[in-house]
Amino acid sequence: MDYQSLAFASVFPVPSLSHTTPTPIATPDLGYTVPGQSFGSPYISNASGQHRAVRRNLAWSTATRFLSLPKQIVGTNASFDALRLPRNLEIEDALVYLLVGEGKSEGKHEESLVDWYTSEVRLHFANLVRPILEELWNKVFDVFWYEIELRHAWELLGHTQEVLQRVQHLYLQSFSDHILPFLLQNNISSSSSTIRPNRPTHAADAYAADSTDWSFRRDIHAVFAHCVPSQRFSKTLSYILYDSGCKLFRIYARQDGVQPVPEPDDIRASRQRMTDLLQGLEQVGLGGDIAQKAFAHSMDKLLDSFITSHYLKVDWFSKKSVVPQIRMWIRDGFCPLVELVMECLRCDPSNVQPTELQSWQEMALGRLGRARVDDLFDFVINWDRSKGAILDIKEYLKIAGAKQNLTSSFSQQISRRLLHPGATTTYILNVYIFIIRAFHELEPKGVLLERVARPIRRYLKDRDDTARIIISSLLTNLKDESGTKFTSGGELSYEIASEMQQPFENRDHEPDSELDWNDINWQPLPTDASPEYKKSKVEDVIWFLLTLWEREDFINELRNILGDHLLRCQDPEYQNEIRLLELIKIRLGEDKMQACEVMLRDVLDSKRINDSIRASRPSPLRTPELTRQPRHPRIPRKPRTPRTPQGVPRTPLSGRLTTSTPHVPSWTPNAPAGTTLNAQILSSFFWPLLRDDEFLVPAQIQTLQKEYESRFERIKGMRKLRWMNALGDGAVTLDFSDRTEEYDKLTPWQVSVIYAFQPQPGEEQNVRKGKAKAKDASISRNVAELEEMLEMDELLVRQALAFWAGKSVLRETGPDTYEVVEILSTSASDTDAAAAAQELAEVQAQAQAGAVRSQSDVLLEKKEVYMTFISGMLTAQGNLPVNRILMMMRIMVQGGFPFGAEEVRELLTVMESEGKVVALGGDSFGIRK
């Protein structure tokens, strides 16, 4: 009978293969003789064969009856010999005869006594023990289905181990007491006989006895392992080992959701309980591959849980990495536990090799690194308090495949949490700065930064306000006394402004450092760098911000924003502006910064020119003082209005007038007493296009402008000035019947409009008569009247009226009619009307803000000129692509063409709708014929 048949019969009993019933005692059938043949003699070989068969059958019957297993399971410590008949001489002779004597099996046609006993064990286990174990496992998993409670897992494995140890003791007792001793005794007697066998023969006999014992134990352990459901056993044992590890290492964030007890268990008791269970399972044959796989699975979960429980939190204060602590725990905590379990399971080898220690440390570092990468966006926006987590990721990048995982994961986080319309440009810029700082610490080479920042840079380039926010923030002072400069929804970035306070190195600008053969510090590009990667000598935050655009586009934008800023700046020294230009020259070169330098020199020279004009005569620019009249609004300080010299080609020069006056009567047509005037003289060729709204300023201000202009002509050689009134600012003080109000930082048209509410020649007597009759009599003006008086655009008039109505200086008494509020009312209707007017004024002021005209305004103003030029160019040269048209316009258009390809396409689209050009495909256009 082959081994497979025996294994099958142990699980599914076959009556024809059953050896449980011993051979009965009966007269053997020796056959019969034919006529004329003798009954035989001892010297005939056939007779000796028949005699051996008879004797073997008798010995077989005696031995199998004695070795038959009981029909019940005895206790763990009980002896089966107490239930069977004592072994006598006849039984010993039968055992010796069948095991080592002449009755030993010869060939495959005779079954040996060891094989019979093995089959007897299989059938006994299948009939009596297997149903008990199946009922035990099915009962537990029927109640808890797939996963079982921790308490029941310990009980299940403990009960299974107890049952198997009991039956193993039963099976091994008979084998060890009645079969194995005869095999070993035969080896001993053979070695002590007169004719000494050679060493190979003796070694073979000893090996045969040991092999028989090992084979029998292997067979019963295979039966034990086969009766236990492997998948359920593996999961249950893994659960037990994971629980033991959590208790040993005080893990509170477990994957099974079990909450730690308030009073932790004794570590020694937990360790002893685990080792006892593992040793017991190993003794009954359940410590093989299934147990080792369960152990590996539990250690994998334990590693994750330990890192999550103890090292996933970020140290926000010390800013140190936890990687050294994890490596130490793997060496001093995890490895000893693994060696203990391997020793209990009798694994070979049971010691942890150095390569395995390094592998486990890398595995733990990989778990920590992947968890850190999943939260990298949060660490970036909390830089530099999260420096410890960034250092953990830096160690993680040494593992193969870590950089690809970081790039992919962080790009998804950026796309989901940053690059969407709900995020303001200021917020995106701040996060981009945090990314630059964090990734410089993470990987100084900049390869990873170049990969993850690519979509951010593209997104920022597409936003219209990016350049304005960057340059405005660079020009902003960090001091914020009011606390409203760097608000969360504002357009100024504190991070960008703080970068201006950092010292920077004055390094020579090198366009292409790869061709610098004299650079002894040259290093090759990293092997994992992309084709777009470019290493610069100066790579700070400002360098990354300034290189968002092409150099030409950025300098044009800088010129527009800087011009508006210089006209509004209150710092007479312009320290931030000087520092910014020096910094940009270092990063982008000096060849394109001439216009910005001239603009800065203009505002610095204006202060010197003002001092020279004041010193040109003994008395400063002042107007004669007048007699003060009470209870009338007065304007102590007039708006600052710009002016430009005449006779300069191209764009007009702009100047900026600053006036300051003491309190004087506001009803008189003369200038306020003690008014002084300051101006800014600008070189029009280098400045961007400025606002040029035309309107009349008060006559007193006009007198001061003429006197200033005459003195300037004497100093500057008869150069002419043209005043740009829309670019000034000023402050006024208004006297009312019940109050006095002061306002500063006003636009010139706001000052002109409120000044127009003073009595004009011929109205003063009417006002005085009205005051005698009505205490609160005041002058009224309507929109049309103000437009005619001030020669001002209607939009500016309405914006100024809404502003003063919001300040409760004016109130609307009829359609487009306003009057001065001499006595402030506390009624709810007046308060609501003032609030609504103020809100409207703020909206209109935002639309009117900016001394430099926007690109869209310039394009709209010169649209007809540009369209005429395009039409003539297409007529002369034929069909042209958009890029060729753009290049020709930048070269040929007078004053330059400060726009890009998108604006050219817009103009061509308008011309196509008007039937002047036709699209030819391939981004080319031609004249419609």
Side-chain angles (χ1 to χ4, degrees), residues 188-219:
I188 296 174
S189 61
S190 298
S191 61
S192 62
S193 60
T194 304
I195 303 175
R196 184 186 299 272
N198 55 19
R199 289 187 177 181
T201 304
H202 173 62
D205 293 339
Y207 174 76
D210 295 338
S211 176
T212 303
D213 180 47
W214 177 82
S215 178
F216 177 74
R217 292 178 181 270
R218 181 199 62 186
D219 291 341

Side-chain angles (χ1 to χ4, degrees), residues 5-193:
S5 300
L6 294 176
F8 183 82
S10 65
V11 180
F12 305 99
V14 181
S16 61
L17 300 177
S18 178
H19 294 269
T20 302
T21 303
T23 303
I25 300 177
T27 302
D29 184 9
L30 302 178
Y32 56 90
T33 60
V34 297
Q37 183 180 2
S38 171
F39 285 101
S41 68
Y43 304 101
I44 300 177
S45 59
N46 188 22
S48 63
Q50 294 177 352
H51 178 71
R52 178 183 177 280
V54 172
R55 185 177 178 183
R56 192 175 189 279
N57 286 338
L58 292 175
W60 186 270
S61 177
T62 302
T64 54
R65 283 183 177 276
F66 176 76
L67 295 176
S68 297
L69 297 174
K71 303 304 180 183
Q72 60 182 356
I73 301 178
V74 299
T76 305
N77 298 323
S79 177
F80 178 47
D81 292 338
L83 302 178
R84 72 170 79 222
L85 295 176
R87 190 175 74 181
N88 51 27
L89 184 59
E90 180 182 3
I91 294 175
E92 290 183 1
D93 293 341
L95 292 174
V96 171
Y97 180 78
L98 292 174
L99 292 173
V100 297
E102 296 179 357
K104 185 169 57 174
S105 62
E106 297 178 355
K108 296 183 179 180
H109 63 279
E110 288 184 349
E111 184 180 12
S112 65
L113 186 62
V114 175
D115 293 339
W116 174 88
Y117 184 73
T118 304
S119 300
E120 176 73 5
V121 167
R122 292 194 183 100
L123 294 176
H124 180 272
F125 184 84
N127 293 329
L128 298 179
V129 182
R130 183 184 178 91
I132 298 175
L133 295 176
E134 289 181 349
E135 180 181 2
L136 177 63
W137 284 83
N138 292 332
K139 178 181 178 182
V140 173
F141 275 87
D142 286 342
V143 175
F144 301 101
W145 189 64
Y146 185 72
E147 294 184 353
I148 62 177
E149 294 182 354
L150 184 61
R151 173 174 56 87
H152 294 280
W154 281 98
E155 294 177 355
L156 178 61
L157 288 183
H159 195 184
T160 302
Q161 174 192 352
E162 181 182 355
V163 172
L164 294 179
Q165 282 183 339
R166 191 185 309 167
V167 297
Q168 179 175 258
H169 176 74
L170 173 63
Y171 301 152
L172 292 179
Q173 182 183 6
S174 298
F175 184 81
S176 300
D177 294 345
H178 307 297
I179 296 179
L180 190 59
F182 295 101
L183 297 176
L184 296 176
Q185 185 178 5
N186 179 59
N187 296 336
I188 296 174
S189 61
S190 298
S191 61
S192 62
S193 60

